[in-house]
Amino acid sequence: MLDYRLFKEINALFAAGNFHAARRLLMEVQSRVIALRDEISTLKTRIHTLEEAVHLSTALYPKNGAYWLATEGVHQGPFCTDCYENSGGLIRFERFSGGLVCPCCSSSLALPESAGFYAEGRASQQARIIPFARQRSSGI
Ligand SMILES: [Zn+2]
């Protein structure tokens, strides 16, 4: 915690011409400010992580033994329930002969007979190309 009395004390030391003591106190204030900034940065990171966890928990829903994610009208999945419940990780199941398997924990899930299993997640099955960098027009 930053003690604002220190500023008055520093000012009084400067006014009295005790520059060495004032400088030492200024260095102490600087050290405290740096510690406070580090604490703020840590707390901001924690808040961001918690906000993401809350958002994820509201957008995630179970269906056919897997988790699915609904964001902005797009349903993605299926994700491994074991990985999400044990570590919070969203790991997409991969297809193998006759079922699905988690590439992280090797948990498996039989692929349902119904053709609608992937119906909601169809949009996410298509690869989306994200441009790495825009090319400049050379003007030549
Ligand atoms: Zn898993």
Side-chain angles (χ1 to χ4, degrees), residues 34-113:
I34 290 170
L36 284 173
R37 290 189 69 142
D38 288 348
E39 185 178 350
I40 288 170
S41 177
T42 302
L43 292 173
K44 281 183 176 180
T45 301
R46 288 181 64 193
I47 287 171
H48 181 71
T49 302
L50 290 172
E51 285 175 342
E52 282 185 346
V54 167
H55 172 71
L56 196 61
S57 68
T58 59
L60 209 60
Y61 64 95
K63 182 183 172 190
N64 294 328
Y67 278 126
W68 297 80
L69 185 64
T71 54
E72 299 175 1
V74 177
H75 299 265
Q76 299 179 43
F79 297 104
C80 176
T81 54
D82 291 343
C83 282
Y84 180 71
E85 290 167 7
N86 293 330
S87 65
L90 262 187
I91 310 297
R92 189 185 302 267
F93 277 116
E94 293 179 348
R95 286 184 184 222
F96 77 102
S97 59
L100 302 169
V101 65
C102 173
C104 184
C105 71
S106 301
S107 173
S108 62
L109 182 66
L111 200 57
E113 296 293 324

Side-chain angles (χ1 to χ4, degrees), residues 114-127:
S114 67
F117 185 76
Y118 276 103
E120 291 183 20
R122 186 160 290 148
S124 65
Q125 299 302 312
Q126 299 170 350

